[in-house]
Amino acid sequence: LEANPAILSWFAKWLLPFLVGDVSLTSRGEDDPRGGGVLVHRCRVLEGSGCKGVCAKMCKVPTQRFFAEQWGVPLEMSPNFETGECQLIFGKEPLPIEEDPAIPPGCLSRCPVSALMENTDVDKC
């Protein structure tokens, strides 16, 4: 079972680019040199939407849930809203979305919903 994260990341390297853009294999993190990481260099979902809510609720959470439920492997996805990158780490339990430091509060400045909802009290993203 220990090989699953590394194997999944290898397959993701070949299967994900059509959906999210160029990717490269990484380790699981600075503290964990084992394979199992995938870096999406410029995520098409984030770049195309410009919206934190679309990223988190239409990509991050459903993808993490899919791998946990269908493959039995936890997946942590950490989008970087400054660079457009997204780090995937197979084999690492994700935090609940409301506790995830990768998801900043409020809307992104480039979010199209932000401009539409500017003078309202509605939580935009």
Side-chain angles (χ1 to χ4, degrees), residues 12-124:
K13 179 184 181 345
W14 298 105
L15 299 174
L16 280 181
F18 86 95
L19 182 62
V20 297
D22 292 336
V23 302
S24 59
L25 296 178
T26 65
S27 69
R28 293 192 214 178
E30 292 178 19
D31 299 337
D32 189 346
R34 296 174 294 170
V38 176
L39 179 65
V40 177
H41 296 283
R42 297 278 307 163
C43 178
R44 289 183 184 151
V45 173
L46 180 55
E47 194 169 52
S49 70
C51 179
K52 174 193 78 176
V54 169
C55 169
K57 297 171 186 159
M58 300 297 289
C59 183
K60 177 181 168 53
V61 171
T63 303
Q64 291 175 159
R65 185 179 305 125
F66 171 80
F67 277 95
E69 292 175 0
Q70 300 300 316
W71 291 87
V73 176
L75 169 65
E76 178 188 73
M77 295 176 68
S78 298
N80 182 323
F81 296 102
E82 299 285 323
T83 65
E85 294 176 335
C86 187
Q87 178 68 55
L88 285 65
I89 301 177
F90 291 98
K92 185 173 180 185
E93 285 291 337
L95 292 171
I97 193 78
E98 51 280 342
E99 297 174 22
D100 193 337
I103 306 298
C107 270
L108 303 175
S109 61
R110 65 184 183 277
C111 178
V113 174
S114 180
L116 294 172
M117 305 293 281
E118 196 169 286
N119 296 320
T120 69
D121 293 334
V122 177
D123 182 18
K124 301 166 205 143

